[in-house]
Amino acid sequence: MAEVGVIGLGVMGAPMAANLVAAGHRVRGYSRTPATRQAAAERGVEPAGSAREAASGADVVITVLPDGPDVSAVLFGADGIAGELAPGSLFVDMSTIEPGVATEVHTTLAARGIDVLDAPVSGGEAGAIEATLSIMVGGRPEVFERARPVLDVLGTTVVHVGGPGSGQTVKAANQLVVAGHLQILAEAVVLLRSQGVELEAALEVIGGGLAGSTVLQRKRAAVLSGDFTPGFRLALHHKDLGIVQRTARDAGVALPVTAAVAQLVQSLVAQGHGGLDHSALYRLTAELNGLEP
Amino acid sequence: MAEVGVIGLGVMGAPMAANLVAAGHRVRGYSRTPATRQAAAERGVEPAGSAREAASGADVVITVLPDGPDVSAVLFGADGIAGELAPGSLFVDMSTIEPGVATEVHTTLAARGIDVLDAPVSGGEAGAIEATLSIMVGGRPEVFERARPVLDVLGTTVVHVGGPGSGQTVKAANQLVVAGHLQILAEAVVLLRSQGVELEAALEVIGGGLAGSTVLQRKRAAVLSGDFTPGFRLALHHKDLGIVQRTARDAGVALPVTAAVAQLVQSLVAQGHGGLDHSALYRLTAELNGLEP
């Protein structure tokens, strides 16, 4: 069993840390929010007074933070943990950040003899609690093998997808697909509503063929009811589409339909709807057409 | 068992007629192509010398034709069959046509005492051969119940989705979703390729979560191999997206992402690629980015 430091005890990080405790690891956890640290302590996570304290002496340090600048600050900022990571230790960033930032983290820490993985997850809060996350891992294959015993505690689909930054690239592509499918579903439902067909029956038959998708299965209830309680907030999906677009631009890649979808997400955030579930792309599409969502 | 006339013995109509024969119905079939009539005859379909001959005296007449103008011509053109349809008989159009045209057919034939359904299908040639089609049915509920014994011979998912024209509306929405998912997949793969990740592993993990889709399952091989042998031809999907866009425009509905996808399909057809499988949306997206598909 390993000594694990977990930095970031939010909606995702807290249940992930608790699952590591349940699997027998010794886990020190840090969050900027005292109440969050306290809640984690009740589930067996030793509360640390700082990120450095959580990282100090750990075999494995895991970050689960909102965005790339947070990861950079925790590693390299004032009171950053980089100096606490011993040569031969393992650093796994499970946040969703830009592939380019992830690659920089790999390069900088590898030069100090630290093994690094980028390992963003999908599956949401439920997947974190139930330890059924999908985990997309970038880094050296031997480091992936080293980390598997820890990662397998957190998810059921743990896949090595390439070298440094590859996990973040796959997560970006994943978020591109989810947003695209949500918007396509929204437009299909608006078309169906405009013709007065029986929506439940229509979505049943559409879902049974080549048009079927997990988005249709899991989000149809939100779309049909107009209840966009998250779930996964638009503000976070907007952040992820920013990663998609910057990564594409840096690589010189044109993604025309993704760009259109990203504009619609931007519009929802600009209208103050960043706290709604991402299926609220339907709400905007309905409103564009003068329909009540 | 019923006397059934089938007009249109193409890729879809021929196996559907053969399945009706196998189920014990007496089937007369007509196609403009003598060789096609002959092939159907070898599978027990009595060849008719004209559409009128196929329809004359039948309890049920089924059309399986390329587009709305074909259906209108067979019904109401010179040598049209409308006059052969007896009051009390059943007419089922299983072509994919505009909902507005379908509604006109309903209105015109219903005034003559004929029961009418619009019942387009999805599932492709394989679904037609294996009798596993999804069938989206519009029309009066009692007419749907009357037609079920015949429709159940042809498909496994046979769903009444609303009044006249509703089947065509649902098929249009279905085609909107399929084209959208194909383009989203194309853009995701281009992004992944630009970063050098392991594509097979990446698509496995993407397919296992909220981004999963039937398009990803069934079309990833075509996208990864660059082999766009149909399958479902772009020319037909282009026709279907024309139906989507005219229906939306007539209803006063804006579908911004669908419009972008339709333009990309249009571009492929304009470049002479209408004979390729619709997954060739990937080919265009790759070429837009200077990549070999």
Side-chain angles (χ1 to χ4, degrees):
Chain A
M1 294 296 106
E3 305 249 338
V4 184
V6 176
I7 298 164
L9 299 171
V11 169
M12 300 298 287
M16 291 162 72
N19 284 332
L20 289 167
V21 170
H25 297 290
R26 183 177 172 198
V27 182
R28 267 173 294 162
Y30 175 71
S31 162
R32 275 178 301 192
T33 317
T36 307
R37 292 204 297 272
Q38 186 54 40
E42 288 163 14
R43 304 178 68 185
V45 178
E46 297 173 31
S50 68
R52 290 175 75 153
E53 193 184 316
S56 179
D59 306 308
V60 184
V61 174
I62 294 173
T63 44
V64 192
L65 296 165
D67 201 355
D70 306 298
V71 174
S72 295
V74 159
L75 278 170
F76 307 118
D79 300 314
I81 65 168
E84 302 294 332
L85 301 173
S89 70
L90 174 62
F91 174 73
V92 185
D93 178 35
M94 305 189 75
S95 321
T96 294
I97 72 172
E98 281 193 55
V101 175
T103 306
E104 285 171 22
V105 168
H106 274 264
T107 304
T108 305
L109 295 183
R112 304 180 186 192
I114 300 158
D115 283 345
V116 183
L117 296 174
D118 52 293
V121 305
S122 76
E125 185 178 5
I129 293 170
E130 296 159 13
T132 56
L133 293 169
S134 291
I135 309 180
M136 306 149 214
V137 189
R140 287 188 295 125
E142 59 273 27
V143 178
F144 174 68
E145 290 308 323
R146 178 184 174 189
R148 275 212 80 134
V150 169
L151 298 178
D152 284 343
V153 168
L154 304 173
T156 44
T157 305
V158 182
V159 182
H160 183 250
V161 294
S166 294
Q168 296 297 348
T169 298
V170 174
K171 178 69 189 287
N174 188 80
Q175 297 302 81
L176 175 172
V177 172
V178 171
H181 285 189
L182 284 166
Q183 179 59 27
I184 293 291
L185 173 62
E187 297 192 10
V189 171
V190 165
L191 180 66
L192 291 166
R193 281 183 65 186
S194 78
Q195 305 290 310
V197 306
E198 293 168 21
L199 272 177
E200 295 272 6
L203 294 179
E204 178 199 336
V205 66
I206 287 173
L210 185 54
S213 71
T214 311
V215 159
L216 175 57
Q217 288 168 32
R218 294 201 197 153
K219 298 297 183 179
R220 64 192 280 176
V223 167
L224 294 178
S225 69
D227 177 2
F228 301 114
T229 309
F232 188 74
R233 290 184 296 120
L234 274 164
L236 279 172
H237 214 140
H238 178 54
K239 180 211 83 173
D240 293 348
L241 292 173
I243 292 171
V244 168
Q245 294 199 280
R246 284 192 299 275
T247 302
R249 188 175 182 87
D250 288 350
V253 170
L255 304 174
V257 167
T258 302
V261 173
Q263 292 299 300
L264 296 168
V265 173
Q266 171 72 82
S267 172
L268 278 158
V269 171
Q271 292 180 58
H273 300 315
L276 296 182
D277 187 65
H278 50 175
S279 56
L281 276 164
Y282 174 70
R283 175 174 163 150
L284 177 59
T285 308
E287 287 175 348
L288 283 175
N289 285 290
L291 299 170
E292 288 290 320
Chain B
M1 293 297 105
E3 305 248 338
V4 184
V6 176
I7 298 164
L9 299 171
V11 169
M12 300 298 288
M16 290 162 72
N19 284 332
L20 289 168
V21 171
H25 297 290
R26 183 177 172 198
V27 181
R28 265 173 296 162
Y30 175 72
S31 162
R32 275 178 301 191
T33 317
T36 306
R37 294 203 297 273
Q38 187 55 39
E42 288 163 14
R43 304 178 68 184
V45 178
E46 297 173 31
S50 68
R52 291 175 76 153
E53 195 183 315
S56 178
D59 307 308
V60 184
V61 174
I62 294 172
T63 44
V64 192
L65 296 166
D67 202 354
D70 307 298
V71 175
S72 294
V74 158
L75 279 170
F76 307 118
D79 301 315
I81 66 168
E84 301 294 332
L85 302 173
S89 70
L90 174 61
F91 174 75
V92 184
D93 177 36
M94 305 189 75
S95 322
T96 294
I97 72 172
E98 281 193 53
V101 175
T103 307
E104 286 171 22
V105 168
H106 275 264
T107 304
T108 306
L109 295 183
R112 304 181 187 189
I114 299 158
D115 283 345
V116 182
L117 296 174
D118 54 293
V121 305
S122 77
E125 185 179 4
I129 292 170
E130 297 158 12
T132 57
L133 293 169
S134 290
I135 310 180
M136 306 151 211
V137 189
R140 289 188 292 125
E142 59 273 28
V143 178
F144 174 67
E145 290 308 323
R146 178 185 173 189
R148 275 211 82 133
V150 168
L151 297 178
D152 284 343
V153 168
L154 303 173
T156 43
T157 305
V158 182
V159 182
H160 183 249
V161 293
S166 295
Q168 296 298 347
T169 298
V170 175
K171 179 68 189 288
N174 188 80
Q175 297 303 82
L176 175 172
V177 172
V178 171
H181 285 189
L182 284 166
Q183 179 60 26
I184 293 291
L185 173 61
E187 297 193 10
V189 171
V190 165
L191 180 66
L192 292 166
R193 280 184 66 186
S194 77
Q195 305 291 308
V197 306
E198 293 167 20
L199 273 177
E200 295 271 7
L203 294 180
E204 179 199 337
V205 66
I206 287 173
L210 185 54
S213 70
T214 311
V215 159
L216 175 58
Q217 289 169 29
R218 294 201 197 155
K219 298 297 182 180
R220 64 192 280 177
V223 167
L224 294 179
S225 69
D227 177 2
F228 301 114
T229 308
F232 188 74
R233 289 184 297 118
L234 274 164
L236 278 172
H237 214 141
H238 178 54
K239 180 210 83 175
D240 293 348
L241 292 173
I243 291 170
V244 168
Q245 294 198 282
R246 284 192 299 275
T247 302
R249 189 176 181 86
D250 288 350
V253 169
L255 304 174
V257 167
T258 302
V261 173
Q263 293 298 300
L264 296 168
V265 173
Q266 171 72 81
S267 171
L268 278 158
V269 171
Q271 293 179 58
H273 300 315
L276 296 182
D277 187 65
H278 49 177
S279 57
L281 276 164
Y282 174 70
R283 176 174 162 149
L284 176 60
T285 308
E287 287 176 347
L288 283 175
N289 285 290
L291 299 170
E292 288 290 320

